[in-house]
Structures are given as C-alpha cells and as structure tokens.
Amino acid sequence: LGRIQHFRSESDLAMEYYAKVPPGVYYQYAQDQVVSLLVEAGRVEELVNFFAEQRAAHPDIEERLFVTQNQYLNALLDDYRLLDFLTLALESYPQNFDLLYARSLVAERMGRLDISEADLRNIIAQDENNSNALNALGYTLTNRTDRHAEAFVLIEKALSLNPESPAILDSMGWVLHNLGESEEALQYLIQAQDALYDPEVISHHAEVLWHLNRTDEALDMIGIAMLEFPGNELLNDIRQRILDDLDNS
C-alpha cells in the first residue's frame, strides 16, 4: 500500500502506510522510503519526530533504532541538534560503542574536546584494542592539542592492531610531524595517500613536504588534487598558506 501511494505521488498516505510496517523483512525498506520522502520535502523536524514515534512503537529494538537513525540524521542535522540526539540516546544506552563513537566525532567538530575524549576513553576502557577509538583519540589529541607524545602512544597501538589502515597511517604521519620527525612522517603519509586519495591525507602530505622545503612538490600535489576536489577547504587552506609564505619570503 505504501508503494502504491508512493507511485501515485501521494506522499503523506505513502508515509502513513510505510510507518505501519513492523520490524522484519520490509522494515528497513519502509524506513528508507519515509526518510527519502521527508528529506526531499525538507521536512527534517518531522523526520526527527517520526524516528521518536518508531522508537516508542518498537521499544524492543530501540537501541538499534537509535544507531540507525543517527546514520540518517548525521547528514541532515546541524552539530548541536545531532549532539542532543546522541546524548538522548546515550542516556538510555551509555555503553553503546556506535553511539559513543558517533558523539565523539560530533563533539570534536564542535570543539567540545572534553566530551569527545571522554566518549573515546569510555570505549577504550571497555575494549583496549579498539583501533578506531585509539586512532580517533590519538588524532584528536595531536590535531587539536599539544599532547603529541600522548597521542603518539595511542596511534602507535592502533597501528600495531591495524597496520594497513590508511586513516591510522595518516594519523601516524601527522603525529610524527607534530613531534618534529617530518622525514619519518613522510613515509607514513605516502602509504596513506597511496591507499586513500583523500583531501585531509593530501593536505597533511603537502604540509610535511612544505616543511621539508619541498615546496614545488607540495604545490604540484595540491594542484592535481584540486582538480578532483575543487573548492575543498583543506586544500585551499594549505595552498594559500604556502603561497603567502612564498610572498613573504
């Protein structure tokens, strides 16, 4: 019935039927359709209310719904509302790794490093070999504070657990650079960029090359990357800082 009304462009009727689909084979499909219809119409507040109604209707899977709903809302809500949503979820499920990790990322973006660090340490306290949490905490500490030695220990352990992860290789390169070991950092950043062509990795690689007085290589790398990622803020920032330095030298 939901599909029929959807096909007829009767969105409200379609959502009414989709919302009644119980957990089972078609539940996720129905949720996807409601999300799609509400997002297309710009009705994000109604989407938040819909999720609350679903959790109330299906308390036996509430924890799983919080995790799934965060994945939907992550691209739709501003950081403050998303932080509130995750805090609400964690009041009921304070040890859920997915929710803790998600809130740590949102809190870091907002500059709430106290919340971010506490959530990641909570995960690590329960699972000392959680490479994602170890790396996230290490990267946050070296990128947002001067606690580089502490960060190195966390990232080193994460890398020992997951030595081929491009994200952890990038973190290791960045923390080594921040510790003054730029030559050693370069080998990790090269490996990271070979595995993951990502603006953040490229910007770190370029920054280290610039620090090592290999400015032309850094600018060439950034120029090529900007063809694939036009307008990227990280690439624009490192490029402008290099050019400003050249103008002032």
Side-chain angles (χ1 to χ4, degrees):
L1 291 171
R3 287 176 177 174
I4 290 170
Q5 298 301 335
H6 199 163
F7 181 75
R8 291 174 173 172
S9 297
E10 296 287 348
S11 298
D12 288 336
L13 278 174
M15 287 189 288
E16 182 179 330
Y17 286 119
Y18 285 140
K20 294 178 181 178
V21 175
V25 176
Y26 296 105
Y27 184 72
Q28 190 63 57
Y29 174 84
Q31 297 280 293
D32 289 343
Q33 302 316 303
V34 172
V35 171
S36 177
L37 286 166
L38 288 174
V39 171
E40 284 177 11
R43 295 157 61 179
V44 176
E45 291 301 330
E46 289 182 50
L47 179 59
V48 174
N49 293 334
F50 167 74
F51 284 151
E53 291 167 1
Q54 287 294 301
R55 294 194 302 273
H58 307 293
D60 53 320
I61 59 168
E62 182 185 53
E63 184 172 7
R64 177 162 63 86
L65 288 176
F66 267 125
V67 173
T68 302
Q69 290 161 9
N70 170 66
Q71 294 169 357
Y72 285 122
L73 294 174
N74 194 51
L76 300 173
L77 296 183
D78 60 57
D79 287 340
Y80 289 95
R81 288 189 295 171
L82 189 57
L83 185 71
D84 289 343
F85 171 81
L86 289 164
T87 299
L88 173 67
L90 283 163
E91 287 174 1
S92 298
Y93 305 100
Q95 304 306 318
N96 184 288
F97 283 9
D98 290 324
L99 296 173
L100 285 167
Y101 191 79
R103 189 172 70 169
S104 77
L105 298 181
V106 175
E108 189 275 336
R109 289 200 301 266
M110 296 173 60
R112 290 299 309 273
L113 302 188
D114 55 331
I115 296 174
S116 182
E117 181 173 354
D119 286 346
L120 291 170
R121 288 200 182 280
N122 191 343
I123 296 172
I124 295 167
Q126 298 178 69
D127 178 9
E128 63 181 11
N129 291 324
N130 191 304
S131 62
N132 288 332
L134 288 163
N135 179 59
L137 180 54
Y139 181 75
T140 296
L141 292 180
T142 196
N143 199 48
R144 301 292 295 271
T145 78
D146 60 359
R147 295 158 62 186
H148 306 306
E150 187 180 350
F152 176 80
V153 173
L154 293 161
I155 296 167
E156 184 179 43
K157 183 171 183 179
L159 191 61
S160 72
L161 294 166
N162 195 355
E164 296 184 1
S165 165
I168 301 175
L169 287 166
D170 173 62
S171 295
M172 179 56 80
W174 195 233
V175 73
L176 285 169
H177 171 65
N178 289 332
L179 286 166
E181 302 291 340
S182 298
E183 286 286 0
E184 187 179 352
L186 204 56
Q187 63 178 305
Y188 291 100
L189 293 170
I190 290 170
Q191 291 180 66
Q193 185 171 317
D194 285 345
L196 179 64
Y197 199 68
D198 172 84
E200 189 163 14
V201 177
I202 297 164
S203 68
H204 289 160
H205 191 174
E207 180 104 24
V208 173
L209 287 172
W210 175 33
H211 183 79
L212 293 171
N213 295 316
R214 295 164 61 176
T215 306
D216 289 344
E217 289 179 61
L219 288 173
D220 286 346
M221 178 186 297
I222 295 166
I224 293 169
M226 290 179 77
L227 295 175
E228 185 162 344
F229 306 105
N232 181 268
E233 291 184 8
L234 290 172
L235 296 174
N236 283 335
D237 175 70
I238 180 62
R239 178 177 180 274
Q240 192 59 53
R241 286 191 289 117
I242 293 174
L243 293 176
D244 288 345
D245 182 64
L246 290 174
D247 287 341
N248 294 327
S249 61

